[in-house]
Amino acid sequence: MRRSLAGLLHSVVLVIFACMSLAGMGFAQLTATGLHGVVRDPSGAVIPAAKITIKDLGTGIEKSTTAGADGAFAFSNLTAGNYTVTAAHEGFQNAVFAAVEVDSGRITDLAVGLKIGATSQTVEVTGAPAQLQTSTNEIGTTITNKDIQDLPYSSLDTLNFTALMAGSQSAGGRNITFDNLPNASMSITLDGMDN
């Protein structure tokens, strides 16, 4: 009786420990990304100490930071979505980027240019800025649920959908490579989890 009670207690402790470990891994799978850039004047010189404010258009949450001495700013641990980015500095017109798309799995680069003028003036950039990848040579694509639903075939298999991307090569079945890279260099995630 005593031995079976000790075995039961040991099993319960192991189950609790396993649940706590899995819960920790679940929180680690949250889809986080980042946004960074450099603030420059019309001549291309950096503008230090510019105030940068971002607002998540989905949640309304705002975050602010100040550009460093090299004009650089960075926001980390953002959720993927669309953001309004505002840059301001005394002696320059405010610049507002209405909808900057930040994708999961990569850091978005944003080049911010401020024009000379009064701070009460605002220049709104309505077109989406070119999001250059200067920090990495990584190639990535975000496939949305709508992209999958609009597929021209009925299987709706997301891995087969990736074979339609530029640079993909199929060796038959589910063995797809990109730009002659080995399979080990590719990471496919689904809702932030390895797939």
Side-chain angles (χ1 to χ4, degrees):
M1 175 80 175
R2 185 174 280 175
R3 179 167 266 183
S4 64
L5 183 60
L8 178 65
L9 183 59
H10 184 264
S11 298
V12 170
V13 169
L14 286 177
V15 169
I16 291 172
F17 180 72
C19 290
M20 289 173 50
S21 298
L22 291 174
M25 287 194 292
F27 287 120
Q29 297 298 327
L30 294 176
T31 304
T33 184
L35 170 72
H36 70 213
V38 177
V39 183
R40 298 183 185 276
D41 68 11
S43 71
V46 297
I47 302 175
K51 182 179 180 185
I52 312 297
T53 305
I54 63 170
K55 180 178 182 180
D56 187 336
L57 297 178
T59 63
I61 296 174
E62 288 190 17
K63 294 183 179 183
S64 295
T65 191
T66 303
D70 57 354
F73 64 91
F75 292 94
S76 60
N77 296 323
L78 300 176
T79 56
N82 291 319
Y83 290 82
T84 298
V85 180
T86 305
H89 192 280
E90 188 176 335
F92 293 90
Q93 298 175 12
N94 295 344
V96 178
F97 295 87
V100 177
E101 186 177 346
V102 177
D103 290 330
S104 62
R106 69 182 179 102
I107 296 174
T108 302
D109 294 318
L110 180 65
V112 177
L114 295 182
K115 295 181 180 179
I116 297 173
T119 55
S120 60
Q121 296 174 308
T122 300
V123 176
E124 185 169 337
V125 182
T126 55
Q131 297 181 6
L132 303 175
Q133 291 297 323
T134 58
S135 60
T136 179
N137 61 356
E138 174 182 292
I139 298 172
T141 301
T142 300
I143 300 171
T144 65
N145 189 31
K146 179 157 178 30
D147 293 333
I148 296 168
Q149 290 174 351
D150 292 343
L151 286 175
Y153 55 93
S154 62
S155 72
L156 301 180
D157 184 1
T158 56
L159 191 56
N160 285 337
F161 184 60
T162 61
L164 301 174
M165 293 174 16
S168 68
Q169 297 147 349
S170 177
R174 298 177 68 87
N175 190 13
I176 300 172
T177 62
F178 294 88
D179 296 323
N180 293 322
L181 295 171
N183 285 337
S185 65
M186 182 174 66
S187 173
I188 299 174
T189 60
L190 180 63
D191 293 333
M193 297 179 67
D194 285 335
N195 187 6

